[in-house]
Amino acid sequence: MFSTFLRNTRVPFVFYFITIAAMIIYCFYISHQSSQGLSTFNSRFNEPLEAPIIDEKMLEKVKFQEIEKEESLIRLNDMDTIRKANADPLPVISDFGTDWKQPNWTENICSGEDEIKCGAKLKSLETRLRASPKYKTVACIIQKNMSTILQAIMCYLFDEASFVKAGRIISRECHNNRFCVKKNEFNAVYAATRVLNVTRTEMADWKYVAIVRDPIDRFLSGFVDKCIRKPNDLEYYCNNCGSNMTCFILTEYERIMRSSNGNVLSRTFEDRHFFPQNWRCNFRTELKHYQLIEYSSHPEHTNKFLNDLLEAFKQQHVPDESQKFIKDQLTGGRTVHTTVASDARIFLEKRLLSSPFLMEYIIRMFYWDFRLLGFKLPTFKPIE
């Protein structure tokens, strides 16, 4: 059809030659670009972020996530209901006999004889490892510490080409639709050695990474996400406290203390998301081997977190184009789980931070997260 058009069009012969030559060059260019695969995808990644979705299941999940996001926004901004659920007067006397009038009172709890009133350190709750043999890297997943995103990143680093070819998007991965399910996922190092065909001695030289989070930020993120945005059980969710933060803090403290003093640890949905971080990743014996990367939900900390994470991957010789892919995907938007800018988060954060009563419970629950993972204990002005 194109040759007929040229024959029926009165143009100089040189135009034929130029046109055909241009088409040959263009076809060669397209062929070359297609062979580049990953780099081609990266160069056009931000045009726009959602364009590459080609997996049917992924597309359905994205549609579902958008519906979930709209429903979440309604719940997160229903401030009449949230205020009503948290209208209980907060006590002005410590349940533990702590004198809030003393300066630096937060520094004096959980020490000496008072230690038994605080969550234990380095219990063994669970370990969730995600491996990238190509880059000799293992990441330990801790709920509410950007776990879904880190899991997706490690899946990408397990097989970049397949991840991209399938049209997957890091910020759109979710637990129920994981691209790498059972491919690079392990609950212990010895299990990984068998599947990956490496020795424990070899794996000892790999980089071990864990994302950690300020305990207060993590608690607030978890409470707003699991007790307001999307409750797991609409009848008995959040320790049967609903969205009452005071009730939940007191009941979760009791659950942490029972697990601290027992041999069998509780593993309810809420416990998995709120129990101390230092109970994960087999930190009891492996903490010294991990590079801890601090994450905060506040946007002003995003650059430092990204730089630290990418530097860890760079040290393992992850290519520049793969690092760029990760950075582009993480800066392209937050997941459906994000709650940091919501009215609910702002209200509850203010309520928590202004109450010595609630904050003492938080410190006692997560005291060893503060001490072992490098976070400063909060300070309060002495109560007048």
Side-chain angles (χ1 to χ4, degrees):
M1 184 172 65
F2 183 70
S3 60
T4 302
F5 167 77
L6 288 176
R7 285 196 302 269
N8 294 335
T9 305
R10 296 181 178 178
V11 293
F13 176 81
V14 68
F15 179 78
Y16 287 69
F17 178 81
I18 294 173
T19 302
I20 293 172
M23 290 180 65
I24 292 173
I25 293 171
Y26 176 75
C27 291
F28 176 80
Y29 172 78
I30 292 298
S31 175
H32 176 71
Q33 286 295 94
S34 298
S35 69
Q36 296 302 305
L38 180 61
S39 61
T40 302
F41 182 81
N42 281 328
S43 66
R44 59 179 173 80
F45 181 75
N46 286 322
E47 302 178 5
L49 178 64
E50 304 292 12
I53 301 178
I54 58 176
D55 178 75
E56 291 281 342
K57 291 183 179 180
M58 187 67 176
L59 195 57
E60 286 301 312
K61 281 292 181 181
V62 168
K63 292 178 181 178
F64 178 78
Q65 287 173 357
E66 289 303 314
I67 295 173
E68 180 184 328
K69 185 176 181 179
E70 293 300 319
E71 294 174 346
S72 297
L73 288 173
I74 293 173
R75 286 191 289 268
L76 288 171
N77 293 306
D78 183 5
M79 292 310 300
D80 288 340
T81 299
I82 294 169
R83 288 192 181 95
K84 184 177 180 180
N86 290 276
D88 50 298
L90 295 172
V92 295
I93 298 176
S94 169
D95 275 350
F96 304 92
T98 303
D99 185 358
W100 299 333
K101 294 181 180 180
Q102 296 297 318
N104 302 321
W105 63 265
T106 60
E107 295 283 348
N108 299 321
I109 63 176
C110 300
S111 59
E113 294 182 357
D114 191 57
E115 186 174 344
I116 61 172
K117 299 177 183 178
C118 302
K121 67 177 177 178
L122 298 174
K123 299 285 284 188
S124 295
L125 177 63
E126 65 178 13
T127 298
R128 296 185 179 186
L129 303 177
R130 304 295 181 258
S132 172
K134 184 191 305 186
Y135 302 116
K136 298 182 179 180
T137 301
V138 175
C140 184
I141 306 300
I142 303 174
Q143 285 96 330
K144 296 314 302 175
N145 289 16
M146 216 178 178
S147 57
T148 304
I149 291 292
L150 182 58
Q151 181 169 256
I153 290 172
M154 294 305 295
C155 177
Y156 168 67
L157 293 178
F158 181 72
D159 186 347
E160 294 106 320
S162 295
F163 191 92
V164 172
K165 184 177 179 180
R168 307 295 287 205
I169 293 176
I170 287 175
S171 62
R172 291 294 193 174
E173 290 287 290
C174 58
H175 181 74
N176 294 327
N177 186 34
R178 314 192 298 281
F179 186 62
C180 286
V181 60
K182 296 184 179 180
K183 295 178 182 178
N184 71 331
E185 304 176 348
F186 311 97
N187 293 326
V189 171
Y190 72 84
T193 59
R194 293 200 307 267
V195 177
L196 300 176
N197 194 29
V198 295
T199 67
R200 296 202 67 170
T201 301
E202 290 172 331
M203 283 198 71
D205 292 330
W206 288 21
K207 178 179 285 293
Y208 287 73
V209 173
I211 294 177
V212 295
R213 191 171 185 176
D214 181 278
I216 301 170
D217 183 33
R218 179 173 181 258
F219 170 81
L220 283 165
S221 175
F223 183 80
V224 176
D225 183 30
K226 304 306 178 187
C227 303
I228 295 177
R229 188 193 71 82
K230 190 183 179 184
N232 185 52
D233 183 329
L234 292 178
E235 187 174 1
Y236 300 110
Y237 67 97
C238 289
N239 300 345
N240 205 25
C241 292
S243 50
N244 182 296
M245 184 169 65
T246 305
C247 171
F248 181 76
I249 288 176
L250 269 59
T251 54
E252 195 64 13
Y253 169 80
E254 294 298 331
R255 299 184 67 82
I256 288 175
M257 292 307 299
R258 283 198 296 272
S259 288
S260 292
N261 298 320
N263 294 323
V264 179
L265 276 66
S266 173
R267 285 180 169 83
T268 67
F269 177 82
E270 285 80 10
D271 296 338
R272 290 177 184 272
H273 287 82
F274 290 94
F275 271 14
Q277 299 166 73
N278 74 89
W279 291 10
R280 311 302 181 90
C281 307
N282 197 25
F283 279 156
R284 176 183 293 178
T285 59
E286 301 297 329
L287 180 58
K288 60 182 177 294
H289 295 140
Y290 273 89
Q291 177 176 344
L292 304 180
I293 299 176
E294 182 180 344
Y295 167 72
S296 171
S297 60
H298 293 282
E300 62 267 25
H301 298 291
T302 298
N303 286 338
K304 184 180 186 307
F305 166 73
L306 276 177
N307 290 338
D308 291 346
L309 183 65
L310 293 176
E311 179 60 29
F313 292 147
K314 182 179 180 180
Q315 292 171 4
Q316 296 307 105
H317 308 292
V318 173
D320 290 344
E321 61 267 25
S322 296
Q323 294 183 53
K324 182 180 184 301
F325 180 88
I326 294 170
K327 184 174 183 178
D328 286 346
Q329 296 244 325
L330 294 192
T331 55
R334 290 177 176 267
T335 69
V336 68
H337 302 283
T338 186
T339 61
V340 65
S342 65
D343 291 344
R345 168 64 185 255
I346 294 169
F347 169 77
L348 290 167
E349 183 169 352
K350 182 177 180 180
R351 180 174 172 84
L352 176 63
L353 295 180
S354 63
S355 169
F357 177 82
L358 294 180
M359 284 298 298
E360 182 174 0
Y361 272 96
I362 292 293
I363 294 170
R364 290 182 180 277
M365 291 161 72
F366 306 120
Y367 178 79
W368 290 108
D369 280 354
F370 286 106
R371 289 302 194 194
L372 295 174
L373 304 182
F375 297 100
K376 291 182 179 180
L377 286 169
T379 57
F380 283 86
K381 292 182 179 179
I383 302 298
E384 298 296 334

